[in-house]
Every structure is written in structure tokens, then in C-alpha cells.
Amino acid sequence: MMNGVYGDKRSVVIFVLPALLIFTLIVLLPIIMTGYYSLLDWNGLGAKEFVGLDNYKDMFFTDKWFLKSLGNSFIFAGMSIFIQLPIALVLALILARGI
């Protein structure tokens, strides 16, 4: 079984490399850049100033809207799970019976 395509290491690399490159460019690179930008005091246009974890300290301890938005996100997720999902399941079961 391994003597076929999977036995040739070069062909495995040829098939995996494009997917790995696309994954790196679309997923990993933006995550790393977001982490880097979160440590800066920067408006996107001017000079960048490294402030470390001060942005996170301000977000958790001085920003009154962050905790409110976090709570709203949990409420939205809960409503989606406990209201939308059961309705979708019931409708799918009705459609599966052919009614």
C-alpha cells in the first residue's frame, strides 16, 4: 500500500505544500500580526509605539464597555444554541419525514 503515491515523499510534499502555504498566509500570519499590533499604541497611520500589555490592562480594568460587550456575546451565543438550534433540528426532522 505504501509503495504507491504515499511512498514517494516528494509527491507528498508537492501536494501538502500549497495547502500549508495558503493556511499560513490566510490563518497563521493574521493571528501573529494581530498579536503584534495588540502590543502597540498605533492608529494605523502614524508612528508605532510599543506599550506591551498596557492595552490589555486598559481593556480589562478601565474600559466599561468591554465587559458589557463580552456579556452580550455570551447572551447571543446562548440564545443561538438554546433557541435557534432546537428550532432548526425540529424543522430538519419535519423535512426528513417528507411532510
Side-chain angles (χ1 to χ4, degrees):
M1 180 81 178
M2 290 300 289
N3 294 335
V5 176
Y6 297 120
D8 184 15
K9 302 293 185 206
R10 192 175 65 190
S11 64
V12 171
V13 170
I14 289 172
F15 283 114
V16 170
L17 193 61
L20 190 61
L21 260 151
I22 291 171
F23 177 77
T24 302
L25 290 175
I26 293 176
V27 176
L28 291 181
L29 191 62
I31 289 173
I32 292 169
M33 294 303 293
T34 301
Y36 170 69
Y37 290 145
S38 73
L39 302 175
L40 301 176
D41 183 17
W42 185 44
N43 63 3
L45 297 175
K48 302 173 191 172
E49 180 186 349
F50 182 79
V51 293
L53 297 176
D54 286 343
N55 288 334
Y56 291 100
K57 183 183 73 167
D58 291 342
M59 179 178 67
F60 284 113
F61 298 116
T62 61
D63 188 10
K64 64 180 179 177
W65 295 109
F66 174 72
L67 294 177
K68 178 74 172 166
S69 64
L70 192 63
N72 289 341
S73 297
F74 283 120
I75 290 170
F76 181 75
M79 288 175 60
S80 175
I81 291 170
F82 295 113
I83 295 173
Q84 183 180 359
L85 214 59
I87 292 171
L89 178 63
V90 168
L91 290 174
L93 290 172
I94 290 171
L95 289 174
R97 288 188 167 204
I99 295 176

